[in-house]
Amino acid sequence: MRCESLPSVVTDGYAIETTNLSKSFEETTAVDGVSLQVPRGSIYGFLGPNGAGKTTTMRMLATMTEPSGGSARVAGHDIADRERVVTELGYLPEDAPVYDELTGGEQLRHAARLRDVPDATERIDDLLARFGLQEARDRRIDSYSKGMRRKLGLIQTLLHDPTVLLLDEPTSGLDPRAARTMRETLSGLADDDVTILLSSHVLSVVDSVADRVGVLSDGRLLEEAPPSELKARVDDTSDQTLEDAFFEVTADGTTTGFERDGTEPKRTTGASAGATTDGEE
């Protein structure tokens, strides 16, 4: 049962809508007029090199960063109405907000209280079991591996049963088995009418779960299409990958940091990485 929240008003079937959404930091434009529509119950993949504006866009949708221009709605609510948006939203940043001195179980019970999740014990038990963390629930988080912290962060994000999820690098640090569980979980959530916006440097993850992808570069949305259509634009042969399509669309030499497999991406630095003033990756 979904946790009680203010009613959402999804217009025209879109759970996420932005119109000319922009964000500038002094003389740096991090997001430049992004307009997109994400249907309810779908998975939308954000692709882009470091500094493209993915994280900044997510932070605006999560009501954590105020836009410099344009507008956006999440679950039918204007992002200016933070109270209504956050009841419908689950946001997992690249670094999950957890307390190292707590155990995994304590962290989740704390998050449940903050979200006013009633009778959270059963839901916590179910999610811990799903992600293989039940035996680590009584261990301090500072003893967790990066992958374990990532899974705990996702569990925390799912506790209040949100209708919209914003996930920044959700498979980062996960071993192959956990990454598969993550993909299956995301697909199952979409089947249950949850809308998911995710970014990832592992293009195979996006290719396997996304219904539609958007390619960002220098804060602008360059292309938007289903993965199969984006790949067909590069070449109509069957062996084209989403990585091939990404390089074709961006074609500017700044795409270092994307991997086909589950390994950690290489990071570029300086101007070639397109770094923004808010630490965007």
Side-chain angles (χ1 to χ4, degrees):
M1 180 180 296
R2 189 172 301 282
C3 301
E4 184 178 356
S5 63
L6 295 168
S8 60
V9 185
V10 177
T11 58
D12 300 323
Y14 297 116
I16 301 173
E17 300 177 86
T18 73
T19 303
N20 295 322
L21 192 64
S22 302
K23 181 63 181 180
S24 297
F25 299 93
E26 297 181 353
E27 297 181 358
T28 300
T29 299
V31 179
D32 188 4
V34 169
S35 297
L36 57 85
Q37 295 175 319
V38 183
R40 189 174 71 178
S42 68
I43 301 177
Y44 188 102
F46 251 166
L47 304 181
N50 294 341
K54 306 181 299 296
T55 296
T56 303
T57 300
M58 285 191 173
R59 285 179 59 85
M60 287 190 285
L61 293 174
T63 73
M64 299 179 69
T65 298
E66 186 176 351
S68 302
S71 62
R73 300 179 69 84
V74 174
H77 305 302
D78 192 300
I79 58 173
D81 190 348
R82 187 175 190 279
E83 180 183 2
R84 289 182 176 271
V85 170
V86 297
T87 61
E88 300 283 351
L89 183 69
Y91 173 48
L92 178 63
E94 189 167 4
D95 294 318
V98 296
Y99 295 101
D100 285 349
E101 65 271 20
L102 298 181
T103 68
E106 289 170 343
Q107 174 68 43
L108 295 177
R109 290 191 294 273
H110 171 68
R113 287 193 296 270
L114 290 177
R115 284 288 193 174
D116 293 324
V117 179
D119 303 321
T121 301
E122 183 176 348
R123 181 156 179 79
I124 289 173
D125 290 344
D126 175 67
L127 289 169
L128 285 170
R130 183 186 303 182
F131 286 94
L133 285 182
Q134 63 270 48
E135 294 184 4
R137 67 185 304 158
D138 295 324
R139 285 171 46 190
R140 282 172 55 112
I141 294 171
D142 59 10
S143 71
Y144 281 20
S145 67
K146 181 178 179 180
M148 293 169 69
R149 293 171 69 96
R150 202 73 190 137
K151 290 187 281 188
L152 186 69
L154 181 65
I155 291 172
Q156 179 173 273
T157 303
L158 295 175
L159 272 180
H160 66 292
D161 209 9
T163 63
V164 177
L165 286 174
L166 307 178
L167 307 178
D168 199 350
E169 299 292 341
T171 60
S172 176
L174 299 185
D175 59 52
R177 183 181 298 277
R180 181 177 181 179
T181 299
M182 178 75 76
R183 293 194 298 269
E184 292 173 347
T185 297
L186 298 183
S187 296
L189 288 167
D191 289 342
D192 289 337
D193 226 17
V194 176
T195 306
I196 302 169
L197 176 66
L198 68 89
S199 71
S200 178
H201 281 96
V202 186
L203 302 191
S204 60
V205 171
V206 178
D207 198 6
S208 66
V209 301
D211 300 298
R212 196 170 183 85
V213 297
V215 180
L216 277 76
S217 184
D218 293 326
R220 292 178 293 112
L221 187 62
L222 301 182
E223 289 283 353
E224 188 182 28
S228 58
E229 183 179 324
L230 202 60
K231 289 183 285 187
R233 292 181 189 177
V234 179
D235 195 320
D236 59 6
T237 58
S238 60
D239 60 349
Q240 295 303 308
T241 68
L242 191 57
E243 183 180 73
D244 296 324
F246 175 83
F247 275 87
E248 178 71 17
V249 169
T250 55
D252 60 4
T254 62
T255 51
T256 300
F258 289 86
E259 299 289 345
R260 296 185 183 194
D261 57 21
T263 60
E264 280 295 295
K266 298 177 181 179
R267 301 294 184 180
T268 54
T269 59
S272 64
T276 63
T277 56
D278 69 338
E280 161 77 1
E281 290 190 350

